[in-house]
Amino acid sequence: MIYKDNISITYPWQAQVWQHVNQNDKRMPHALLLHGRAGIGKYDFARYFSQSLLCANKSEAGHACGVCSSCSWFNDESHPDFRLLSPEQESETEGEDAPAKKTKKKTQISVAQIRDLSSFLSLTSHRSGGLRVILVHPAEALNLASANALLKMLEEPAEGVIFILVAHQLQRLLPTIISRCQKVNMPIPNETQALAWLGEQGVQNAKVQLAYLDGSPIKVFSEQLQFTQLNEIWRLLAQGSKLQPHIAAPALIANSVETGIVVLQKWMYDIVAMRLTKQIRYHATHIGALQALAEKVNLSGLFQLQKKLDELRKLALHPLNHELQMESLLLEYTRIFMSK
Ligand SMILES: [Zn+2]
């Protein structure tokens, strides 16, 4: 989220969609579904829109004032007329009960979380004539039971309640949920917009990082530290058959096994791309190294390793010995190159 003089504002590429959602001020739909790919600022937008809906003193263009009591409550995460439903929220409360062992990160919004809303829905707003807002993020974290429970609430909308659903993958939602919401297609920043914004945030070498992180300026901004580590990892991967798994494995899993797997997947994607099309997608600063690897790679061996990585990524949360697991993957990596 961006703050200017204590007032949060939307991202530059969201100016039009901001106008769009503020047009129906008097006749707000009772459910909005903000959808679009990951990393374009949908959630920040949804939060800020929630704040502005609750603000007692919003501007003509719909912006929250940032200073009224409603805005202060909102910024303190204590607004009585606002609820956020997300998988993380549940794992935090459970974490207190089990401090010794790190609780597994929840990936679903449970039916209990939806049922907890009924008391919230049966109350009226804490401010006369005010709205109440429920933000669901990400909506694809609803399982069948919780989606059906939510559907009932959407079918019989409570007075003055607005649901805002945020989804990266529309196809994973129940069609009946989608049909109850006004869909808002969230804009993807083009490269110029993304680079301009990253420049304003003081990010160096933004262009390379933007290509690596699928054109998402938000990811580039939030992963600044990781990028220095990545340069070291790429230097190691460039060694191909000479890479030493026990040295590279700890670096790859420093953040999480999943991050390490994604780093390998993108690197191998570019080896294939270089071999087959002479073009790369993610590693503009490592063309030379990728070219050398592409000449020596055994493609069928590489495809097998890719398949394995895809499978492992789905299981990345399971409690194997991560370092050993990564070492054995890297050992396979060294074997997909023909040594000359
Ligand atoms: Zn305000």
Side-chain angles (χ1 to χ4, degrees):
M1 202 67 205
I2 324 154
Y3 288 93
K4 275 190 181 159
D5 306 318
N6 201 30
I7 301 173
S8 44
I9 53 160
T10 52
Y11 295 104
W13 54 90
Q14 295 173 334
Q16 259 186 319
V17 72
W18 179 257
Q19 278 182 351
H20 173 71
V21 294
N22 277 286
Q23 267 165 11
N24 31 28
D25 196 26
K26 286 281 178 296
R27 302 166 39 205
M28 267 301 290
H30 70 271
L32 282 173
L33 171 55
L34 310 182
H35 65 97
R37 67 182 219 202
I40 57 174
K42 298 186 297 297
Y43 174 64
D44 288 342
F45 184 94
R47 277 200 76 100
Y48 180 60
F49 186 51
S50 305
Q51 180 183 350
S52 77
L53 286 170
L54 296 168
C55 173
N57 195 20
K58 66 178 179 179
S59 76
E60 219 163 283
H63 291 283
C65 75
V67 290
C68 70
S69 54
S70 186
C71 282
S72 322
W73 288 332
F74 193 89
N75 288 327
D76 292 344
E77 314 264 341
S78 64
H79 203 299
D81 294 329
F82 176 73
R83 286 286 184 282
L84 170 66
L85 286 189
S86 69
E88 285 80 8
Q89 208 180 26
E90 197 183 41
S91 77
E92 273 169 26
T93 48
E94 284 191 5
E96 288 168 7
D97 297 325
K101 233 181 176 182
K102 207 174 165 188
T103 41
K104 197 175 142 188
K105 194 176 154 194
K106 288 276 192 301
T107 55
Q108 296 191 338
I109 295 172
S110 69
V111 68
Q113 283 177 280
I114 303 290
R115 288 195 184 125
D116 282 347
L117 286 177
S118 28
S119 56
F120 177 72
L121 291 173
S122 65
L123 299 168
T124 50
S125 161
H126 286 71
R127 297 151 303 120
S128 63
L131 295 167
R132 281 167 294 152
V133 180
I134 296 164
L135 175 54
V136 184
H137 171 262
E140 56 266 36
L142 293 160
N143 56 33
L144 193 59
S146 53
N148 277 315
L150 179 67
L151 185 61
K152 286 210 184 80
M153 292 173 177
L154 295 176
E155 283 168 347
E156 294 158 23
E159 184 71 27
V161 173
I162 295 173
F163 282 88
I164 301 176
L165 281 66
V166 177
H168 314 303
Q169 293 163 296
L170 212 49
Q171 71 277 14
R172 286 179 56 192
L173 301 188
L174 285 184
T176 40
I177 294 247
I178 298 175
S179 70
R180 287 278 158 186
C181 300
Q182 180 181 314
K183 280 197 287 176
V184 179
N185 191 354
M186 294 298 287
I188 298 167
N190 62 35
E191 196 188 29
T192 316
Q193 289 169 322
L195 290 176
W197 181 76
L198 285 166
E200 282 170 28
Q201 315 308 313
V203 174
Q204 312 272 320
N205 299 321
K207 197 169 175 166
V208 175
Q209 299 178 50
L210 195 62
Y212 187 72
L213 293 168
D214 303 307
S216 163
I218 320 274
K219 286 188 199 165
V220 172
F221 186 60
S222 61
E223 293 188 19
Q224 278 306 290
L225 274 179
Q226 204 206 340
F227 225 76
T228 359
Q229 300 167 333
L230 275 175
N231 271 312
E232 172 61 13
I233 293 170
W234 290 329
R235 196 186 62 75
L236 295 170
L237 290 177
Q239 297 171 338
S241 60
K242 299 205 175 64
L243 171 132
Q244 292 182 282
H246 69 280
I247 292 175
L252 268 159
I253 61 165
N255 286 310
S256 71
V257 178
E258 198 185 357
T259 328
I261 290 177
V262 173
V263 167
L264 266 177
Q265 282 179 320
K266 287 183 170 172
W267 181 258
M268 288 177 15
Y269 176 98
D270 267 356
I271 293 176
V272 177
M274 179 59 93
R275 170 78 167 256
L276 300 179
T277 67
K278 301 274 174 234
Q279 281 180 347
I280 52 160
R281 177 171 170 187
Y282 297 114
H283 308 84
T285 46
H286 292 72
I287 294 181
L290 286 160
Q291 210 156 16
L293 293 175
E295 281 166 19
K296 287 186 279 187
V297 76
N298 168 349
L299 278 182
S300 71
L302 182 143
F303 292 144
Q304 270 176 29
L305 182 52
Q306 275 182 330
K307 210 173 149 196
K308 197 170 205 170
L309 290 172
D310 285 343
E311 280 159 17
L312 271 171
R313 193 171 163 189
K314 289 181 204 143
L315 307 169
L317 291 171
H318 82 136
L320 280 182
N321 183 324
H322 292 150
E323 194 160 332
L324 280 181
Q325 197 180 3
M326 184 53 78
E327 269 192 48
S328 89
L329 287 172
L330 288 170
L331 188 65
E332 279 186 54
Y333 172 79
T334 62
R335 290 176 181 157
I336 63 174
F337 303 103
M338 284 165 277
S339 43
K340 278 185 187 165

